[in-house]
Amino acid sequence: AMSTDKGHRLWISAALHVFLCAGLVACEGGGEPSGFVGSFDHGVQSGDPLSDRVIIWTRVTPRRRDTEVIPVQWRVSSSAESHLDGGPFERTGVFQASHTRDWTVKIDVDKLTPGKIYFYSFAAGPATSPVGRFKVPFAADTSIDHLRYAVFSCANWGWGYFNAYDLASKQDLDFWLHLGDFIYEYAADHYPEQHQAVRFGPSASAGQSALQPDAELLSLAHYRQRYAHYRTDQGLQALSAAAPLIAVWDDHEIANNPWSDPFPGGAQNHNAGEGQWSEREHSAVQAYHEWLPTRDDSLRGDFGEKIYRKFAFGNLATLLVLETRLTNRSNGEEDPFPLTDENGDGNPANDDPSSAVRSKAKGLIQGLAPSEWSNSAVTQGFKELREAVEAYRRRPNKNLLGPVQLEWVREEVRKSKGARTRWQLLGQQTVLSDTQPGIEEAIAEARGSVEKAQAARWEAVLNNLTDSRCPSTANCAPPETRLQARLTDPTAYNADRYDKFQTLSSSTVEEARTTLALSRFQVPDYFDAWEGYVAERTRFLSALAEAEGSVVVYGGDSHNAWAGEHRDGSGRAVCAEYDGTSVTSTGKENFNPFMEPEFQAAAHIAGNSRVDEGEGFEGSLKYAEMASRGFVLVELTPDEHHGEFIFLDTVASTRYKIEKCDAYDYGKKGGAFRLEKGWCRWTLHTGRPYESQGRLHESLCQCRRGTCGHGCERAEPEDICIEDPIVVMTQGNVSSMAVLTVLVVLLILLSAFLYLLLKQARRKLQTVPHSDVFGDEQSSFL
């Protein structure tokens, strides 16, 4: 952490910079300094850190449409003060930014010292960028004992503010890992719809930014504009400047649920009227590499689509980043029942698999209440449906990684283990475990424990949702006149209805019955993750098994949080799994809004405590969280992988709190790797208010060891943090640093006012004859 003097100096300098560039002091020509050619509106970012080099990135926004090239100076130093004083810099150069790369600047800065912290910035004419910071990793042959990093996925602008990024920016991170859906390709009227959106819309309210562009992304210009829009978020800018990013796309950076096999590929959210798929795919990948700090010139493929790569962090960890969407993925949208038309559009072969399975299930229960499902026709029908679905998801030719990437994973894991690297980490897009819920199993387990009251409540909720009182819908009054349920989905647009009783429609009852039937008869209905590619998952686990348990796999995509472990036929651990929730995107709670999140989580765990993953491998889901937004914070040591699932209370405002935190630890215990529930080191700060971009200075913390978690480096469990009650910038409180800033600004304004008065007085005096003012004497001091 920087010293107090440096912190005050940076704060004051930032205030000066804002007002000087606003034209209040010594500015000419329409409020811009002389020679002003562009501005740095999208912040700075470092990324893809290696032991001797790091990518630094920014984007300069030209001020004239006819600009062809803007020379941008980049500067790197080991001191933040250098960027305020104009030097000295350890590395510097000039990049010619132009429209061909959408005015983005990307420099691969080499000849860096391992383990050293550097600061960087950019300049174009008199305009300067914010100052960024990065730490260079140690080489693979260097002994280190600690890493601290955060894992993110799924940030949708319309669903809310990126507070998870802002909170992570207050940590001292070695890097942050983003596993995809950095942007979303949808138009402003889809996911979220207008009535669901937290921020945006064609008629965005004051203080909100309308989504740009408001149409679905199809062209290179569209994708570029969406990245530019997302990068105006202050939380994203704060984290981008604070630590290096290691990123890989999922699907929404291109289009929902793409595939490459069969050739030429396609996507669920792409149709013939939207042009050639290959052109859209190429445009999306080009914009991704322009707007993210990837080392794209070294990536494989015709257009940088083979983005899988490796990073080393001393002898503590090897990180492999995988690609599962564009290079080898089999069509996950293939209809499992191509001879029957489940969606009624006249084309039997184009039903998406989840909808097709649910349609089959609805036909089997035929409006019957759960008490009537024991008849032979229903049970036999579901037995056949389960067999067909299992055959579909276990097809041996379904790929996610493909043989080339899979062999690369096997070889890199083998080399890392052979070099005695302690941990093998893998970042990829989707959940590794099965997630089909065991709804009635969860109730039975709660009833058999001390949670009998909870079990009774869950059973009552389920009976109400599925209308178990009515043996046949033909003999029942319309559900609208009969059933109500308490809404438990906490998504922001439900704020006025949350925790209140709502009338259930007949379609809600039908969907609830379908979900229960699929759970009772153990029929999976989700295929867009590893559970839809079972044979490929078996091959993947086989490759990881060579590390003998020292493997952690990260995933995202589901918008909910999960943790589990996978074992081989002998019961030996293969890997642990940590799947983070989303930054803003809504999860399964949106599809089951009347089942409380704790009930849903318990059902998912109960239904997947022991899952046959093929060839002796077995999965065990240990944790699920079904309603909150946030990220995973990891502390890695030679003995333990400590992962904290940190959840925020809201994404509907930039004022937020840490709502809760759950921790799971993975490491050798009793000679064997185990995943066990741990404790959170953030618990001390749960419930404390934050304002996006508002942080405590370390001088305001009094801790025996470490620092307070509101913006300093780390909170140790034994810390006693005494925080000034006025330092948190929220609900009308003003921080001492903010007061100092206001005073500085007032001084600047006063100086500017006096300067203008003096200048005006001089002009008046110059228009009056000297003799009228001073008699016959001449004056030259003006």
Side-chain angles (χ1 to χ4, degrees):
M2 67 182 68
S3 68
T4 302
D5 289 342
K6 288 182 180 178
H8 282 74
R9 188 175 181 193
L10 283 171
W11 192 288
I12 294 170
S13 176
L16 285 167
H17 177 80
V18 168
F19 280 90
L20 285 170
C21 289
L24 295 177
V25 181
C27 289
E28 302 174 3
E32 292 181 350
S34 177
F36 192 79
V37 293
S39 57
F40 298 94
D41 302 335
H42 302 95
V44 298
Q45 174 77 75
S46 61
D48 275 16
L50 302 179
S51 62
D52 65 340
R53 61 184 59 220
V54 171
I55 298 287
I56 60 172
W57 175 97
T58 192
R59 199 252 191 179
V60 59
T61 302
R63 281 296 177 261
R64 293 176 57 91
R65 291 183 179 275
D66 58 354
T67 302
E68 295 184 357
V69 175
I70 297 178
V72 178
Q73 184 188 31
W74 56 270
R75 303 90 65 91
V76 177
S77 70
S78 55
S79 166
E81 286 185 303
S82 299
H83 298 269
L84 305 178
D85 299 336
F89 302 111
E90 298 179 25
R91 301 297 312 283
T92 187
V94 175
F95 183 92
Q96 302 295 329
S98 72
H99 67 90
T100 59
R101 289 187 63 91
D102 199 21
W103 305 100
T104 59
V105 178
K106 189 186 291 190
I107 307 296
D108 196 354
V109 184
D110 60 4
K111 300 178 182 178
L112 302 175
T113 303
K116 188 173 180 178
I117 293 174
Y118 289 91
F119 299 86
Y120 65 99
S121 66
F122 302 86
T128 58
S129 75
V131 178
R133 172 188 180 276
F134 63 80
K135 182 179 180 181
V136 182
F138 286 98
D141 58 357
T142 305
S143 178
I144 66 171
D145 60 7
H146 181 264
L147 274 179
R148 182 179 178 84
Y149 52 95
V151 184
F152 299 87
S153 62
C154 306
N156 183 303
W157 180 277
W159 283 118
Y161 295 92
F162 299 160
N163 293 334
Y165 293 151
D166 182 75
L167 181 60
S169 75
K170 305 174 196 310
Q171 294 296 296
D172 182 20
L173 300 178
D174 290 287
F175 66 93
W176 55 293
L177 178 64
H178 201 290
L179 298 177
D181 295 348
F182 194 89
I183 64 168
Y184 278 70
E185 85 281 14
Y186 295 129
D189 61 354
H190 182 71
Y191 192 74
E193 298 176 13
Q194 290 296 305
H195 74 283
Q196 299 172 319
V198 170
R199 56 172 177 174
F200 77 45
S203 56
S205 61
Q208 293 184 337
S209 300
L211 185 67
Q212 297 296 324
D214 60 4
E216 183 178 331
L217 310 185
L218 298 175
S219 67
L220 178 59
H222 280 165
Y223 284 102
R224 285 171 165 175
Q225 192 176 5
R226 186 65 56 84
Y227 278 107
H229 185 70
Y230 270 53
R231 279 204 174 271
T232 62
D233 181 90
Q234 294 301 301
L236 175 56
Q237 288 198 10
L239 181 56
S240 295
L245 167 64
I246 298 173
V248 66
W249 55 67
D250 190 14
D251 53 344
H252 289 291
E253 289 91 345
I254 305 96
N256 186 51
N257 293 359
W259 66 85
S260 60
D261 180 27
F263 182 83
Q268 179 274 333
N269 191 31
H270 184 80
N271 58 60
E274 295 175 327
Q276 291 291 328
W277 164 249
S278 61
E279 293 180 6
R280 183 179 187 179
E281 180 186 25
H282 288 206
S283 294
V285 171
Q286 179 178 335
Y288 184 90
H289 287 309
E290 288 173 347
W291 279 87
L292 276 86
T294 55
R295 192 170 281 104
D296 51 293
D297 58 351
S298 65
L299 297 178
R300 298 162 295 277
D302 296 332
F303 53 96
E305 77 276 19
K306 296 184 179 180
I307 197 173
Y308 59 90
R309 58 210 194 276
K310 176 179 72 171
F311 299 91
F313 297 93
N315 66 348
L316 183 60
T318 299
L319 170 64
L320 305 181
V321 178
L322 310 184
E323 200 288 316
T324 65
R325 289 291 186 182
L326 297 184
T327 56
N328 288 285
R329 191 184 188 95
S330 300
N331 182 5
E333 297 298 307
E334 184 181 1
D335 189 349
F337 313 110
L339 301 181
T340 57
D341 183 13
E342 278 77 30
N343 66 9
D345 67 349
N347 184 353
N350 74 338
D351 303 319
D352 77 83
S354 295
S355 298
V357 170
R358 293 187 70 85
S359 179
K360 290 281 189 185
K362 290 174 185 177
L364 288 171
I365 57 178
Q366 298 178 354
L368 301 175
S371 59
E372 298 179 297
W373 294 349
S374 58
N375 71 67
S376 58
V378 173
T379 56
Q380 181 60 29
F382 273 101
K383 179 177 181 293
E384 294 173 358
L385 178 60
R386 185 172 189 272
E387 290 173 351
V389 169
E390 287 297 327
Y392 170 76
R393 73 188 192 110
R394 293 177 185 271
R395 289 177 184 174
N397 62 343
K398 291 186 71 175
N399 295 321
L400 279 182
L401 298 172
V404 175
Q405 189 176 182
L406 189 62
E407 184 55 35
W408 176 80
V409 169
R410 186 186 303 274
E411 183 60 27
E412 292 298 336
V413 167
R414 185 182 295 140
K415 288 193 297 186
S416 177
K417 194 68 177 178
R420 304 181 69 83
T421 302
R422 187 65 185 91
W423 294 98
Q424 290 72 46
L425 313 174
L426 293 98
Q428 51 85 51
Q429 291 74 15
T430 58
V431 178
L432 189 58
S433 293
D434 278 14
T435 60
Q436 184 67 13
I439 297 173
E440 291 163 308
E441 290 90 332
I443 295 173
E445 289 182 8
R447 188 182 296 119
S449 68
V450 296
E451 304 293 340
K452 291 181 173 57
Q454 185 181 64
R457 185 176 72 253
W458 289 353
E459 187 170 32
V461 167
L462 182 64
N463 289 341
N464 188 44
L465 278 175
T466 59
D467 194 11
S468 63
R469 299 168 299 179
C470 179
S472 171
T473 54
N475 301 322
C476 292
E480 289 83 351
T481 67
R482 199 178 67 258
L483 293 176
Q484 286 194 328
R486 186 168 60 91
L487 187 74
T488 59
D489 173 14
T491 310
Y493 76 93
N494 283 323
D496 60 339
R497 301 188 301 151
Y498 177 63
D499 206 25
K500 298 177 183 177
F501 281 88
Q502 309 291 322
T503 301
L504 297 178
S505 66
S506 56
S507 61
T508 299
V509 173
E510 182 184 37
E511 290 299 329
R513 287 183 173 183
T514 303
T515 298
L516 177 60
L518 293 171
S519 172
R520 178 180 295 183
F521 295 105
Q522 300 180 338
V523 180
D525 69 335
Y526 184 68
F527 308 100
D528 188 45
W530 288 91
E531 59 190 303
Y533 298 78
V534 176
E536 182 82 334
R537 180 172 62 187
T538 301
R539 294 188 286 266
F540 181 51
L541 292 172
S542 177
L544 302 184
E546 298 192 21
E548 301 177 347
S550 58
V551 176
V552 177
V553 178
Y554 303 110
D557 184 61
S558 74
H559 309 168
N560 297 113
W562 318 84
E565 59 184 0
H566 302 262
R567 298 186 174 275
D568 63 17
S570 66
R572 184 178 61 181
V574 174
C575 67
E577 169 185 9
Y578 292 74
D579 305 296
T581 186
S582 63
V583 174
T584 60
S585 303
T586 57
K588 290 180 181 290
E589 70 277 2
N590 225 215
F591 300 99
N592 299 294
F594 298 101
M595 288 178 64
E596 60 187 81
E598 294 78 11
F599 185 9
Q600 293 187 52
H604 284 286
I605 295 170
N608 299 282
S609 59
R610 296 188 65 179
V611 175
D612 175 15
E613 297 179 323
E615 297 184 12
F617 292 105
E618 183 177 274
S620 179
L621 191 65
K622 301 287 189 181
Y623 170 75
E625 202 284 341
M626 309 303 296
S628 305
R629 313 281 76 87
F631 63 99
V632 182
L633 180 66
V634 178
E635 298 270 2
L636 189 67
T637 66
D639 296 326
E640 184 179 70
H641 177 285
H642 173 77
E644 298 186 7
F645 294 89
I646 297 174
F647 304 105
L648 310 180
D649 69 329
T650 186
V651 293
S653 166
T654 56
R655 292 176 176 171
Y656 64 92
K657 300 176 184 177
I658 301 173
E659 181 178 44
K660 61 180 178 179
C661 175
D662 297 318
Y664 275 80
D665 298 328
Y666 183 64
K668 269 195 172 181
K669 300 172 178 66
F673 280 94
R674 300 182 187 281
L675 180 69
E676 297 179 348
K677 187 171 178 57
W679 56 269
C680 278
R681 297 160 192 175
W682 273 74
T683 304
L684 182 66
H685 302 283
T686 300
R688 297 288 179 86
Y690 289 80
E691 173 76 20
S692 186
Q693 293 297 287
R695 6 177 137 191
L696 295 180
H697 194 269
E698 59 266 27
S699 65
L700 302 173
C701 297
Q702 298 177 17
C703 306
R704 290 198 302 269
R705 189 158 66 91
T707 52
C708 298
H710 282 278
C712 311
E713 289 185 355
R714 185 167 66 174
E716 299 291 348
E718 64 268 33
D719 285 349
I720 301 175
C721 292
I722 303 171
E723 302 178 15
D724 186 332
I726 67 166
V727 296
V728 181
M729 296 193 296
T730 183
Q731 303 296 339
N733 293 335
V734 181
S735 75
S736 57
M737 291 302 293
V739 172
L740 178 60
T741 303
V742 170
L743 291 175
V744 171
V745 169
L746 289 175
L747 286 173
I748 293 171
L749 291 173
L750 180 60
S751 299
F753 179 69
L754 292 173
Y755 170 80
L756 292 173
L757 283 178
L758 182 61
K759 190 173 182 179
Q760 185 68 20
R762 177 179 179 178
R763 287 175 179 170
K764 287 184 178 179
L765 288 173
Q766 287 175 337
T767 62
V768 178
H770 284 243
S771 60
D772 290 346
V773 181
F774 300 104
D776 294 332
E777 297 184 14
Q778 298 294 313
S779 174
S780 62
F781 71 90
L782 294 177

